[in-house]
Amino acid sequence: MAINLEKGQRINLQKDNGSKLQNICVGINWGAIEKKGLFGIGGSKEAVDLDASCALFNGSKQLEEVVYFGNLKSKNGAVKHSGDDLTGDMGGDDGLDNEVITLDLSQLSPSTEYAAFVLNSFRGHDFGKIPFASIRIYEGTPKRVNEVFAKYDIANGANFAGHVSMVMGVFYKRNGEWKFNAIGEPTKDKKLEETVKTVMQQYL
C-alpha cells in the first residue's frame, strides 16, 4: 500500500493482500525556534509547544471524546497519546516524532464513526516559523513505521504560514469500512476547542 497522499485525497484502508489496516500512528516532528543575538552574535532557542489531538465523533456528528495532552487515552484504550512535548527538538532535528497518537480502529466503540486529527500551536507560534515542522500518518507503532500514507511539510508549506491551527485528516466509517480523508488544511482557530468545532462544522 505505497500511498503518499496529497491533501484532499481519500483512500480505503485496505492493504495489497486484502487485509484491513488497523493500527494507525500520527507523528508530529518539530524544532525550537532559533533567536539570533544582537548583531548576529550568540543567540538562544525558544521552546515551541505543538499539540496533536484526536477527536472522536458518532454517526450524528456529535463529539464523544477528545484525546489530547490533558487526556492521554480514550476510555476504551483505542486512542493513545504519547504525552505533551513542551519544547520541540532543542538541538536540531533528531529524526524522531515529538508527539505520536496511536489509533487502533478495531478497538473503537461501535458508535464511533469519525476520528479527526488536529494540530494546534499552544503558545501561538506561527506554523511557518517553526523549524522542520512536519506530520506523517502511517501504519505501524510509535517505534516502527511500516508504511507512510500521508505527509505534510508544515514548515515549508506556504498555506500554513500565519496559522496556529490545522486539521490533519479524518478517518471515517462508511458501510462498516474505514476510510481516510487527507485534509491538511490550516484554520483560523486559536484554541483546540475552536478547531474541534471547525471539524464538526466543515469536515465530517
Side-chain angles (χ1 to χ4, degrees):
M1 198 182 78
I3 297 171
N4 185 12
L5 286 177
E6 297 297 325
K7 68 178 187 178
Q9 280 186 267
R10 295 170 184 257
I11 58 164
N12 290 320
L13 299 181
Q14 184 166 314
K15 301 191 217 176
D16 293 336
N17 64 6
S19 65
K20 298 292 189 294
L21 189 150
Q22 298 283 7
N23 294 299
I24 313 291
C25 289
V26 178
I28 319 295
N29 183 36
W30 74 92
I33 295 173
E34 292 190 31
K35 308 289 278 189
K36 294 213 170 15
L38 194 62
F39 305 118
I41 301 168
S44 60
K45 292 286 184 77
E46 182 178 344
V48 173
D49 183 2
L50 294 185
D51 291 323
S53 308
C54 177
L56 304 175
F57 301 86
N58 64 20
S60 300
K61 303 181 181 179
Q62 295 172 316
L63 183 65
E64 294 183 322
E65 194 174 1
V66 180
V67 175
Y68 68 111
F69 64 84
N71 177 41
L72 295 178
K73 189 165 75 167
S74 62
K75 294 186 184 80
N76 57 16
V79 185
K80 296 174 183 173
H81 193 299
S82 63
D84 196 10
D85 186 309
L86 303 172
T87 64
D89 294 344
M90 299 297 282
D93 189 358
D94 61 7
L96 302 174
D97 292 324
N98 297 73
E99 290 190 11
V100 179
I101 296 179
T102 58
L103 166 63
D104 184 344
L105 293 169
S106 67
Q107 295 297 313
L108 283 172
S109 164
S111 66
T112 302
E113 296 199 9
Y114 302 92
F117 286 88
V118 301
L119 184 68
N120 295 87
S121 180
F122 186 76
R123 297 192 189 101
H125 288 107
D126 181 336
F127 283 150
K129 296 178 179 173
I130 302 171
F132 55 85
S134 62
I135 298 164
R136 57 181 180 170
I137 301 175
Y138 60 92
E139 179 198 14
T141 70
K143 296 185 178 175
R144 188 187 72 250
V145 178
N146 294 347
E147 190 78 61
V148 176
F149 56 93
K151 291 189 284 192
Y152 307 119
D153 185 351
I154 303 171
N156 297 309
N159 61 318
F160 295 115
H163 295 273
V164 299
S165 169
M166 70 168 286
V167 181
M168 297 185 260
V170 178
F171 293 88
Y172 62 100
K173 193 160 60 174
R174 286 289 180 276
N175 303 318
E177 301 281 336
W178 281 99
K179 303 173 187 289
F180 178 65
N181 180 12
I183 294 169
E185 287 287 347
T187 76
K188 293 186 169 70
D189 306 314
K190 305 296 183 191
K191 305 287 185 185
L192 171 59
E193 296 83 355
E194 298 169 358
T195 313
V196 169
K197 188 177 287 187
T198 295
V199 168
M200 200 182 308
Q201 293 170 346
Q202 298 182 27
Y203 295 108
L204 301 186

